[in-house]
Amino acid sequence: MPTLVTEESQITNIFGTSGFKCKKLVTTLSSEATIFDIIQSIIKTKQPEIDSPFSVLDLRVVINQMKKWTTNLPTVKPFYAVKCNPNISLLGALALLGANFDCASPVEIESVLSLGVSPERIIYANPCKSESHIKYAASVGVNVTTFDTVGEVEKIKMWHPNCELVLRIKPEEDNRAQFGLGLKFGALLNEVPELLKAADEAGLKVTGVSFHIGSAGASTQAYRGAILLAKTVFETASHLGMPKMKILNIGGGFTPGSKFDEASLNINEAIKSYFENEEDLVVIGEPGTYFAETAFTLATKVIGKRVRGELREYWIDDGIHGSLGNVVYDYFIITCSTFRFGSKLENVTCKDTKTYPSTVFGPTLDSTDTVLKEYELPELEMNDWLVFSNMGAYTSSLGTNFNGFSSYAKNVYIAYSSDQVLSQENNS
């Protein structure tokens, strides 16, 4: 069974740096301890004064995901997309594992730099930036950014003339992606020559090409077409007599599980086919969900109950305006477990007790703040717990203070197994 460790010094020793704003650290006696073992331990140890909601960041998952990345995509440097989940402890762990960072704002850049990460490990991957934000990037030494318009070239020339540029292009749309980014970002192929010439005439160096195939359901075959399109841009720059490009940014869209294996196969084969003769090519990717989604588990407490015939209605202390905003999307599949707190804590499953169609509401006065509808749950009482798995991607980062509720899980516990190695050689 896991043992709680609360001393800040032990947190500092494990991470190798200070400043991680985590609630507590949980070390496990064995890597076999489940996340539910850890949550039970937290509730048992800290009940009834425990703050809720809370989440657990399982660093064992992050470490394993990094190992799989380096195995499947050994030539692709990961630049974690901070927007997916900016939890400072997650960022710190990824930094120690050798990840680099994709930032879209000064706030994200500042968070990464606060960990002692070199600005050379950051790409400012926002194609449209405020002038003040460009000036900030220049002041802290973040010297690589994306662009896709002539107007952006003009701003960068004025405020950060030493910045290297990566041209964001628009790949062919994949209608299977729940979130296609081509509507907002990416130059069309016929716009590329004008953009390259504008940058060259401004005295700015275009060092590479980036794209994003879309998130949540995009076909992994889309990487092939996008990489071929990027190769075309490399050739266009060469024909224009511009300095040789060196960066191929294949963007994000990566998810945990078997689709990552499929994506890796397509990416590796496409790079080999289209860029085999490109010496000194640097390939980077921008995974977000891949690292964050399965690493976080959310625990919420039942704070209210109503019975209407067979229907059970419950209120919990987190909701769609907090950590559970992702449940409003059709692609997200809820994985929910229940814990009953009484004379002893037990995991109550639908297999071992009668269940009822249940509706679960968040804490706000918004009637759309509904987490579950007609969901089969066992009978729950006040102060029982609902635990949601896979709650790391676009959860806390989208949380609000609507109705005055700071409802997203600010209290983050960290699970870490002492038989795993957190620090690896920096691959920046």
Side-chain angles (χ1 to χ4, degrees):
M1 203 50 148
T3 302
L4 289 179
V5 179
T6 61
E7 292 81 359
E8 185 176 349
S9 61
Q10 291 183 274
I11 297 173
T12 301
N13 289 340
I14 285 182
F15 281 99
T17 184
S18 60
F20 291 89
K21 300 174 183 178
C22 55
K23 181 70 175 178
K24 295 288 184 292
L25 181 70
V26 180
T27 56
T28 62
L29 299 179
S30 166
S31 59
E32 300 303 314
T34 70
I35 196 67
F36 299 107
D37 292 334
I38 293 166
I39 289 173
Q40 282 184 316
S41 177
I42 293 170
I43 296 173
K44 281 184 176 180
T45 304
K46 304 301 292 183
Q47 190 81 11
E49 74 275 10
I50 186 172
D51 291 327
S52 177
F54 69 87
S55 62
V56 177
L57 164 58
D58 192 342
L59 290 183
R60 300 171 300 177
V61 173
V62 179
I63 293 168
N64 288 335
Q65 289 298 92
M66 180 61 81
K67 288 179 179 178
K68 187 169 185 179
W69 179 280
T70 55
T71 299
N72 283 29
L73 294 172
T75 64
V76 182
K77 296 183 177 182
F79 280 66
Y80 173 71
V82 177
K83 65 181 180 289
C84 180
N85 190 320
N87 177 271
I88 198 71
S89 299
L90 174 61
L91 299 183
L94 286 168
L96 287 177
L97 289 169
N100 307 290
F101 297 92
D102 154 17
C103 296
S105 70
V107 171
E108 292 183 355
I109 293 172
E110 185 177 10
S111 292
V112 173
L113 293 178
S114 72
L115 297 169
V117 173
S118 166
E120 296 177 356
R121 294 169 63 183
I122 296 174
I123 181 171
Y124 197 173
N126 187 339
C128 185
K129 300 167 285 294
S130 300
E131 291 184 351
S132 62
H133 294 182
I134 295 171
K135 288 190 283 185
Y136 170 79
S139 71
V140 297
V142 174
N143 298 325
V144 181
T145 191
T146 56
F147 80 107
D148 61 7
T149 63
V150 172
E152 195 71 8
V153 171
E154 294 170 350
K155 287 186 290 182
I156 295 169
K157 177 185 177 181
M158 180 174 293
W159 300 114
H160 197 353
N162 296 321
C163 194
E164 295 184 0
L165 304 184
V166 176
L167 177 58
R168 173 78 173 260
I169 60 173
K170 179 180 178 179
E172 184 177 346
E173 290 290 333
D174 180 2
N175 57 18
R176 282 170 287 190
Q178 295 283 341
F179 298 100
L181 302 178
L183 178 65
K184 190 172 185 180
F185 297 118
L188 301 174
L189 189 59
N190 62 6
E191 298 170 336
V192 166
E194 178 191 5
L195 291 168
L196 292 176
K197 289 177 183 177
D200 194 44
E201 291 171 0
L204 299 174
K205 186 176 181 181
V206 181
T207 57
V209 177
S210 72
F211 60 80
H212 198 300
I213 66 166
S215 299
S219 169
T220 59
Q221 286 284 341
Y223 286 107
R224 288 179 175 270
I227 291 172
L228 176 58
L229 187 63
K231 175 62 175 179
T232 302
V233 177
F234 270 64
E235 293 172 345
T236 300
S238 178
H239 292 156
L240 291 173
M242 297 178 64
K244 185 177 181 180
M245 292 183 179
K246 63 180 181 180
I247 297 175
L248 172 63
N249 182 351
I250 62 175
F254 301 97
T255 56
S258 59
K259 278 200 79 172
F260 179 68
D261 296 328
E262 184 182 318
S264 301
L265 180 64
N266 283 299
I267 290 166
N268 290 331
E269 290 182 352
I271 292 173
K272 182 177 181 180
S273 296
Y274 306 131
F275 285 89
E276 186 174 18
N277 297 322
E278 291 286 343
E279 296 181 0
D280 303 321
L281 180 70
V282 177
V283 186
I284 72 176
E286 297 171 343
T289 297
Y290 172 80
F291 281 113
E293 182 177 77
T294 55
F296 285 81
T297 302
L298 173 69
T300 66
K301 189 183 292 186
V302 176
I303 60 173
K305 177 180 178 179
R306 178 165 57 204
V307 177
R308 286 179 169 166
E310 285 294 296
L311 178 65
R312 301 295 187 266
E313 295 180 338
Y314 302 104
W315 283 255
I316 58 176
D317 51 12
D318 204 341
I320 68 169
H321 296 291
S323 305
L324 289 153
N326 55 0
V327 305
V328 302
Y329 300 113
D330 290 337
Y331 74 90
F332 187 78
I333 300 174
I334 288 286
T335 304
C336 177
S337 301
T338 58
F339 286 95
R340 173 165 299 149
F341 182 80
S343 57
K344 68 174 183 176
L345 190 69
E346 56 181 333
N347 187 356
V348 183
T349 69
C350 296
K351 296 178 181 179
D352 55 21
T353 189
K354 177 178 171 58
T355 63
Y356 301 86
S358 303
T359 299
V360 177
F361 300 110
T364 71
L365 294 181
D366 178 11
S367 60
T368 66
D369 189 4
T370 304
V371 177
L372 297 171
K373 295 179 180 178
E374 299 295 314
Y375 193 89
E376 291 293 325
L377 288 173
E379 185 87 34
L380 298 176
E381 303 298 340
M382 293 281 291
N383 295 321
D384 285 344
W385 295 78
L386 289 181
V387 177
F388 299 88
S389 301
N390 304 329
M391 293 300 298
Y394 300 101
T395 50
S396 60
S397 60
L398 298 179
T400 73
N401 291 325
F402 177 72
N403 242 177
F405 288 94
S406 297
S407 52
Y408 62 93
K410 291 182 177 178
N411 302 303
V412 179
Y413 292 76
I414 300 175
Y416 175 72
S417 178
S418 57
D419 59 5
Q420 287 183 306
V421 177
L422 184 62
S423 181
Q424 293 184 354
E425 183 179 354
N426 189 329
N427 69 347
S428 62

